[in-house]
Amino acid sequence: MRITDIRCARIGASPVVRVVTDEGIDGFAEVEYTKANVVSTLGIPRELLIGHDPTEVERCMIRIRRLGGSKPWGAMISAIEIALWDIAGKAAELPIHRLLGGKVRDRIRVYNGGVRRPLEGHTPQHYADSMAYSAAAPEGFSIFKEGVGLHGFMAPNTPDFLYNELRTGPLHPNRGPMTPNALAHIVDCVAAMKDVLGPDRRLALDMGPGWTVSDAITVLRRLEPFDIAWAEDLLTGDFVPWGEVDGYREITGSTIIPTHTGEQIYLRQNFRELIDRRAVRVIGPDPGDVGGLAELKWIAEFADLYGIQIAPHGVSSGLLGLAALIQVSAVLPDNLIAFEYPVAREPWWYQMVSGLGNPIVVNGHVTVGDAPGLGIELDRELATAHLEPGAEDFFEWKTVSAR
């Protein structure tokens, strides 16, 4: 079997990678819808892989792995790896989890970061109302994540929050020391959300990036009575292209609340110091950014040796991303807490993708299936109707030139 083409096109808002072969088998992977411009990064890896055997996944990845970088630059490389595993599984008539060593669990806990309604304001009551909506979701989640502090829109919508001037715009642009008012407001909002959830459901906090170490220690100590599942991305995270091991290690040693980071990190080499120095208690690599499924499995096993837990990221990765997370989470060691449940950007995806179960989540868990590859079927006719203009040949088998 040989790769004859690699294509990427947006289906709705989401970039989808398709690897085409000469034996009528193709593989798919989805990129976060927040990274629509990733389509332009396909050219070099495509040329390096055409003519190679897609079932020799590691040999293919050696050719292209060096071309990626921390979020968003590793997204295309990661998606290609996932699509190669999809082909390998279909060719062997086995699910990917069998090729990665075999499942160690039949169902996987997921946590909620995406089944929510927009906040109507930024008072403690608004956060409580939003959490009540999430807690009532039929999926029956047991862990819920909400953005507070410098993650999301709390800072620009709360007077007297930072000592510095606030910046506006997406992707969490603010950083620096917080006022006493800000620290107190965060605690009040967390208390309101925990009052809704009660003692049997846990709250995880997406908090940064951009905190000072001293502010992070101060607020986490105040939050310790609320049984927080983890405090995520306080110093770095999301699209921040550097690490902050010493700062995280100081925070981690100063609180009983588990610290968490890693969604933006590409490859095992960039997790090594974070894990080796036990700088955080939880890591959250995203298979669509870390280098793919096998890379995430290696990192999880390495973290397990150090007693560090894992809660993979993926809320914006769509239903193909959900399928990928199921496959890799099925084979992870016992340090797995849960993975972030991806939701589709557009509702018609749920008619376009089959094989994930109906309902997909039951009592906060997804079921691990045994269908080949990613374990899903894509309705290509319906998908074609939602392809971006100029990508009408995306599902064709004839080899086309690089985009």
Side-chain angles (χ1 to χ4, degrees):
M1 185 186 298
R2 292 289 181 265
I3 296 171
T4 59
D5 204 2
I6 303 178
R7 304 169 190 171
C8 183
R10 286 183 288 271
I11 302 178
S14 300
V16 175
V17 169
R18 178 183 179 226
V19 178
V20 186
T21 74
D22 60 357
E23 294 191 13
I25 299 175
D26 52 0
F28 293 91
E30 187 171 346
V31 177
E32 285 185 327
Y33 58 75
T34 56
K35 293 179 281 195
N37 291 333
V38 75
V39 177
S40 64
T41 68
L42 176 59
I44 295 176
R46 174 185 181 274
E47 294 304 321
L48 288 172
L49 291 183
I50 286 179
H52 289 267
D53 185 342
T55 66
E56 294 179 341
V57 178
E58 182 60 20
R59 177 173 284 186
C60 289
M61 293 307 298
I62 288 172
R63 295 182 64 81
I64 66 171
R65 190 176 279 130
R66 68 188 186 282
L67 303 176
S70 289
K71 191 175 181 178
W73 307 111
M76 178 58 70
I77 305 300
S78 302
I80 290 172
E81 194 260 15
I82 294 168
L84 293 175
W85 280 117
D86 191 26
I87 291 172
K90 291 171 180 174
E93 298 184 351
L94 292 170
I96 293 171
H97 62 72
R98 288 284 296 276
L99 304 183
L100 293 176
K103 62 181 179 179
V104 298
R105 51 184 63 84
D106 295 316
R107 64 181 195 139
I108 306 161
R109 187 181 301 273
V110 294
Y111 74 86
N112 180 36
V115 180
R116 62 172 71 188
R117 68 181 185 188
L119 286 163
E120 296 180 352
H122 295 273
T123 68
Q125 187 59 52
H126 288 124
Y127 280 87
D129 292 344
S130 176
M131 191 55 60
Y133 176 88
S134 297
E139 288 85 354
F141 299 109
S142 59
I143 304 173
F144 302 79
K145 188 167 77 174
E146 182 58 83
V148 298
L150 297 177
H151 191 93
F153 304 99
M154 176 182 280
N157 288 282
T158 304
D160 187 31
F161 202 86
L162 289 179
Y163 283 113
N164 293 315
E165 291 185 2
L166 282 163
R167 301 183 182 98
T168 59
L171 302 178
H172 326 298
N174 290 294
R175 60 184 294 269
M178 297 183 188
T179 66
N181 175 72
L183 300 179
H185 183 69
I186 292 166
V187 174
D188 289 345
C189 290
V190 170
M193 290 187 285
K194 274 298 295 181
D195 188 54
V196 170
L197 293 177
D200 297 326
R201 293 180 291 193
R202 303 194 76 192
L203 176 64
L205 301 175
D206 216 347
M207 302 187 74
W211 287 66
T212 66
V213 170
S214 57
D215 281 346
I217 293 171
T218 297
V219 81
L220 291 186
R221 285 177 173 171
R222 294 183 189 176
L223 293 176
E224 286 177 351
F226 297 106
D227 184 35
I228 301 302
W230 63 75
E232 185 171 333
D233 287 349
L234 285 154
L235 306 179
T236 59
D238 213 0
F239 285 79
V240 176
W242 61 81
E244 189 58 63
V245 173
D246 288 335
Y248 275 119
R249 193 168 188 269
E250 185 176 354
I251 296 168
T252 297
S254 301
T255 179
I256 63 172
I257 293 178
T259 47
H260 173 304
T261 197
E263 71 181 59
Q264 85 283 15
I265 298 176
Y266 181 65
L267 297 186
R268 65 189 71 178
Q269 289 89 343
N270 294 309
F271 272 95
R272 181 176 61 185
E273 188 179 9
L274 195 69
I275 293 170
D276 187 56
R277 298 186 61 191
R278 293 181 171 88
V280 293
R281 294 194 177 101
V282 185
I283 56 170
D286 189 317
D289 286 298
V290 77
L293 306 182
E295 193 72 8
L296 192 152
K297 181 175 186 281
W298 191 98
I299 292 164
E301 291 168 340
F302 182 52
D304 192 37
L305 297 178
Y306 288 79
I308 294 171
Q309 298 174 303
I310 184 169
H313 177 266
V315 66
S316 302
S317 298
L319 300 190
L320 304 187
L322 169 59
L325 277 160
I326 291 172
Q327 294 297 323
V328 70
S329 297
V331 303
L332 297 185
D334 289 343
N335 59 343
L336 174 66
I337 302 171
F339 71 77
E340 186 173 30
Y341 178 58
V343 293
R345 180 71 167 176
E346 298 94 355
W348 41 260
W349 273 95
Y350 293 96
Q351 286 74 53
M352 198 170 71
V353 176
S354 59
L356 291 169
N358 186 21
I360 298 173
V361 182
V362 177
N363 294 327
H365 291 74
V366 294
T367 299
V368 180
D370 290 310
L374 283 172
I376 54 94
E377 292 290 338
L378 184 64
D379 185 328
R380 299 180 190 221
E381 183 176 352
L382 181 55
T384 298
H386 295 286
L387 278 167
E388 64 178 316
E392 290 78 11
D393 57 5
F394 182 71
F395 288 107
E396 291 183 3
W397 287 95
K398 181 178 66 176
T399 300
V400 296
S401 60
R403 299 188 185 283

